[in-house]
């Protein structure tokens, strides 16, 4: 018989550091093993500091995902602490430029992280294929990385291992990237310096070697990435022990570097400035002339998006919760439009705030400001003062029939609801059969899905008292970002 180990994850710590109660509750699973929901293969799709990442498929719906597993008994105290920090930080993150953590399964002996399945390969592979990037292509990638870093820093998180291998493309036919691997990430309170020297030596800032650094260490790493993309070489080799000395000697500034535009050279030198008082924060770096002189094209906002947001806001909280769960499992190829629209609304900000949302909605659609604020309040279910990325996706999907009917029922546990009169009357099994019939119209899919969703919400209302339901979505009950010690 195996040894029982104490839980690694503390939901109290997740909520205390800004995690959404609803989003965390449905993604942290201790009531069943991962094999009930996923078929995990032996095919490794990636590797990280803590081991391999394996391909998996959902048993219901067949959706693809990536799984990283840990055996508690093989971890020492430091590794257990790192895992706890990785999972608890990851459960609080939700941004288009960060690979989504779809779920965490913890048993008495193991922890499994279920992540978004990205098929485009990492930035190191792309660079190897292309030798070097044009300034236009490097600018596009660098902006996206800084958007991810800016979001992390706004949440009080330092990544500490930003490198080419930890930037992954959503798919082979897109240039949208996502930041991965939070195994070395740490919370930072904005005042006290971090001490632990960690990360990858060729990307590490000089102050990391001195055991005294801040979130600006991530900005240095972005500068290293940008240098590599534009010159095709790394500024430092693996033997470097003091990068600031190398910079003072002028060694990284090669002829390939001097062939870059003045703005590109100035940008890289600023991010790789050894003087941390000169090196900018990520948010400031995003406003550098090299980036803003060639602004990215924003996705157009349209009436369909606004109608979807209004429809989502008008539904009940249990319905919105169910749609949110669906959105967490949506594959990247189905989220491209919503992802672009969310970033357009953010307009350079790390997350979608009330002021930003109302300003953009009033500007684009001529809506009265008080109406836009009421719409925001309805979308901000957890009273965080933000509309999270996945909640926005759920809202955008609310008026659409899924183009892939397999995904519609992906998160419905048939066995759970077979004894519920509301679902039986709705005809759960028959509805699933109807959706999988050929041919099937989008109106049939939408009708079946909406009917089942209403029935499930009714069923959940009978399984859980109204007061308890209200408690777990009550305003003001969710954690907000606090100083981290």
């Amino acid at each position: 018989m195996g040894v029982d180990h104490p839980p690694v994850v503390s939901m109290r710590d997740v909520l205390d550091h800004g995690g959404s109660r609803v989003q965390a509750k449905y993604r942290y699973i201790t009531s069943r093993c991962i094999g009930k929901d996923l078929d995990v293969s032996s095919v490794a799709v990636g590797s990280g500091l803590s081991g391999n990442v394996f391909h998996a498929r959902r048993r219901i719906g067949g959706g693809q995902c990536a799984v990283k597993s840990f055996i508690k008994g093989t971890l020492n105290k430091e590794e257990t602490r790192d895992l706890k920090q990785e999972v608890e930080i990851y459960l609080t993150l939700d941004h288009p430029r960060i690979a989504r953590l779809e779920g965490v399964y913890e048993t008495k002996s193991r922890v499994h992280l279920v992540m978004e399945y990205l098929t485009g390969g990492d930035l190191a592979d792309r660079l190897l294929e292309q030798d070097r990037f044009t300034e236009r292509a490097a600018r596009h990638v660098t902006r996206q990385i800084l958007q991810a870093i800016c979001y992390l820093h706004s949440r009080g998180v330092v990544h500490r291992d930003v490198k080419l291998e930890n930037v992954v493309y959503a798919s082979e036919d897109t240039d949208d990237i996502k930041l991965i691997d939070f195994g070395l990430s740490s919370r930072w309170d904005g005042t006290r310096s971090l001490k632990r020297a960690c990360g990858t030596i060729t990307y590490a800032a000089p102050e990391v070697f001195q055991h005294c650094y801040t979130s600006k260490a991530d900005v240095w790493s972005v500068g290293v990435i940008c240098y590599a993309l534009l010159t095709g070489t790394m500024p430092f080799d693996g033997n470097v022990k003091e990068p600031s000395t190398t910079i003072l000697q002028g060694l990284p500034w090669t002829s390939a570097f001097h062939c870059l535009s003045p703005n590109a050279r100035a940008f890289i030198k600023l991010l790789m400035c050894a003087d941390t008082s000169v090196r900018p924060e990520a948010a400031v770096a995003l406003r550098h002339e090299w980036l803003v002189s060639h602004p990215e094209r924003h996705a157009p906002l349209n009436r369909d998006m606004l109608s979807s947001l209004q429809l989502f806001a008008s539904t009940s909280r249990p319905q919105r919760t169910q749609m949110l769960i669906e959105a967490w499992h949506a594959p990247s190829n189905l989220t491209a439009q919503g992802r672009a629209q969310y970033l357009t609304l953010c307009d350079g900000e790390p997350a979608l705030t009330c002021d930003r949302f109302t300003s953009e909605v009033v500007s684009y659609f001529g809506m009265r400001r008080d109406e836009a604020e009421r719409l925001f309040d309805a979308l901000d279910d957890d009273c965080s003062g933000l509309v999270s990325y996945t909640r926005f996706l759920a809202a955008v999907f609310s008026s659409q029939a899924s183009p892939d009917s397999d995904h519609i029922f992906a998160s419905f546990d048939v066995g759970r609801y077979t004894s519920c009169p509301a679902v039986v009357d709705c005809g759960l099994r028959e509805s699933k059969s109807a959706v999988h019939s050929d041919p099937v119209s989008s109106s049939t899919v939408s009708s079946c899905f909406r009917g089942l969703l209403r029935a499930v919400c009714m069923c959940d209302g009978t399984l859980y008292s109204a007061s308890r339901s209200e408690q777990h979505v009550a305003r003001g009950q969710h954690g907000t970002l606090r100083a981290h010690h």
Side-chain angles (χ1 to χ4, degrees):
M1 183 176 292
V3 177
D4 291 348
H5 297 272
V8 170
V9 180
S10 165
M11 288 308 297
R12 175 173 293 182
D13 289 345
V14 172
L15 299 179
D16 283 349
H17 290 95
S20 163
R21 184 181 298 274
V22 173
Q23 294 187 21
K25 173 184 176 181
Y26 288 100
R27 288 188 296 144
Y28 177 57
I29 301 161
T30 59
S31 60
R32 60 187 182 275
C33 66
I34 190 172
K36 293 285 187 180
D37 298 334
L38 302 175
D39 181 15
V40 183
S41 77
S42 58
V43 178
V45 294
S47 61
L49 210 61
S50 52
N52 289 331
V53 178
F54 295 92
H55 177 265
R57 284 189 179 274
R58 297 192 177 279
R59 294 191 181 278
I60 299 177
Q64 299 184 83
C65 48
V67 176
K68 183 163 63 170
S69 300
F70 303 84
I71 301 173
K72 294 181 183 180
T74 65
L75 304 177
N76 60 35
K77 287 185 178 180
E78 183 178 64
E79 290 168 337
T80 301
R81 184 176 66 249
D82 286 346
L83 175 58
K84 173 183 172 65
Q85 189 155 254
E86 175 181 7
V87 176
E88 291 179 358
I89 285 176
Y90 214 165
L91 281 169
T92 68
L93 304 179
D94 188 11
H95 190 269
R97 300 303 184 205
I98 292 175
R100 183 183 294 114
L101 178 64
E102 296 185 1
V104 178
Y105 290 78
E106 181 167 11
T107 66
K108 293 178 180 180
S109 60
R110 296 174 185 265
V111 177
H112 306 277
L113 275 61
V114 182
M115 299 164 291
E116 181 178 11
Y117 183 58
L118 306 172
T119 60
D122 64 40
L123 189 54
D125 289 337
R126 288 281 180 108
L127 180 58
L128 193 62
E129 292 172 1
Q130 300 181 26
D131 188 41
R132 69 181 65 179
F133 279 36
T134 64
E135 285 201 23
R136 178 180 179 182
R139 187 184 294 112
H140 182 63
V141 170
T142 303
R143 180 184 284 115
Q144 293 181 75
I145 299 172
L146 280 172
Q147 287 172 344
I149 298 300
C150 187
Y151 170 77
L152 289 179
H153 294 177
S154 75
R155 303 287 296 176
V157 174
V158 184
H159 188 280
R160 303 203 293 189
D161 198 21
V162 179
K163 58 184 179 180
L164 290 166
E165 292 82 358
N166 282 342
V167 178
V168 177
Y169 285 87
S171 64
E172 292 182 354
D173 58 355
T174 183
D175 54 6
D176 279 357
I177 61 91
K178 300 202 176 198
L179 189 62
I180 66 167
D181 200 344
F182 292 85
L184 292 176
S185 60
S186 175
R187 299 200 180 280
W188 181 57
D189 64 6
T191 57
R192 287 177 288 187
S193 297
L194 296 169
K195 305 296 183 184
R196 179 182 175 187
C198 60
T200 303
I201 191 169
T202 48
Y203 296 86
E207 62 271 21
V208 174
F209 294 86
Q210 305 302 319
H211 301 271
C212 185
Y213 60 96
T214 68
S215 61
K216 287 187 177 182
D218 284 344
V219 177
W220 170 284
S221 301
V222 177
V224 173
I225 287 176
C226 191
Y227 181 103
L229 293 178
L230 289 171
T231 66
T233 60
M234 293 293 291
F236 313 107
D237 61 34
N239 297 318
V240 65
K241 292 186 178 180
E242 185 46 82
S244 57
T245 301
T246 305
I247 286 178
L248 288 173
Q249 294 172 347
L251 295 181
W253 316 130
T254 61
S255 58
F257 176 81
H258 286 293
C259 288
L260 305 177
S261 70
N263 275 341
R265 295 199 304 269
F267 177 77
I268 292 173
K269 283 191 172 184
L270 185 63
L271 268 59
M272 292 177 60
C273 180
D275 185 348
T276 56
S277 67
V278 176
R279 191 188 315 155
E281 303 280 358
V284 175
L286 272 170
R287 299 195 293 270
H288 190 274
E289 180 66 19
W290 185 62
L291 296 177
V292 300
S293 62
H294 295 79
E296 63 181 342
R297 289 179 293 179
H298 288 303
L301 306 180
N302 52 46
R303 287 282 173 183
D304 287 343
M305 183 205 76
L306 180 61
S307 297
S308 295
L309 296 181
Q310 291 170 323
L311 176 62
F312 182 81
S314 69
T315 59
S316 68
R317 282 181 178 172
Q319 285 178 307
R320 293 200 294 268
T321 297
Q322 183 60 46
M323 293 177 191
L324 185 64
I325 297 169
E326 291 283 342
W328 272 109
H329 297 162
S332 285
N333 64 311
L334 298 184
T335 63
Q337 182 177 356
R339 180 166 65 242
Q341 289 174 333
Y342 183 83
L343 290 167
T344 294
L345 285 169
C346 288
D347 194 25
E349 295 296 320
L352 187 52
T353 63
C354 181
D355 284 345
R356 177 64 61 185
F357 177 84
T358 53
S359 296
E360 294 295 319
V361 169
V362 168
S363 173
Y364 269 90
F365 303 110
M367 181 181 285
R368 293 205 323 265
R369 189 169 186 85
D370 61 329
E371 292 178 340
E373 289 174 347
R374 283 197 297 271
L375 178 58
F376 177 88
D377 287 342
L379 295 171
D380 180 22
D381 263 1
D382 57 7
C383 294
S384 63
L386 304 170
V387 174
S388 70
Y389 169 52
T390 304
R391 191 173 296 279
F392 180 83
L393 282 182
V396 170
F397 291 159
S398 65
S399 64
Q400 303 173 5
S402 170
D404 181 355
S405 61
D406 281 345
H407 291 291
I408 288 184
F409 298 98
S411 65
F412 282 111
D413 182 348
V414 177
R416 177 184 174 191
Y417 296 108
T418 50
S419 61
C420 176
V423 176
V424 173
D425 290 344
C426 180
L428 175 61
R429 297 184 188 280
E430 290 77 4
S431 296
K432 291 185 73 173
S433 298
V435 167
H436 289 286
S437 63
D438 186 26
V440 57
S441 69
S442 61
S443 61
T444 299
V445 172
S446 183
S447 176
C448 288
F449 179 56
R450 297 302 165 213
L452 280 172
L453 189 56
R454 285 192 297 272
V456 166
C457 291
M458 289 170 60
C459 181
D460 282 344
T462 63
L463 291 172
Y464 304 101
S465 69
S467 59
R468 180 176 176 184
S469 176
E470 285 302 314
Q471 286 171 8
H472 97 264
V473 294
R475 291 186 174 273
Q477 294 298 309
H478 303 325
T480 55
L481 190 63
R482 302 177 181 176
H484 311 307
H485 303 290

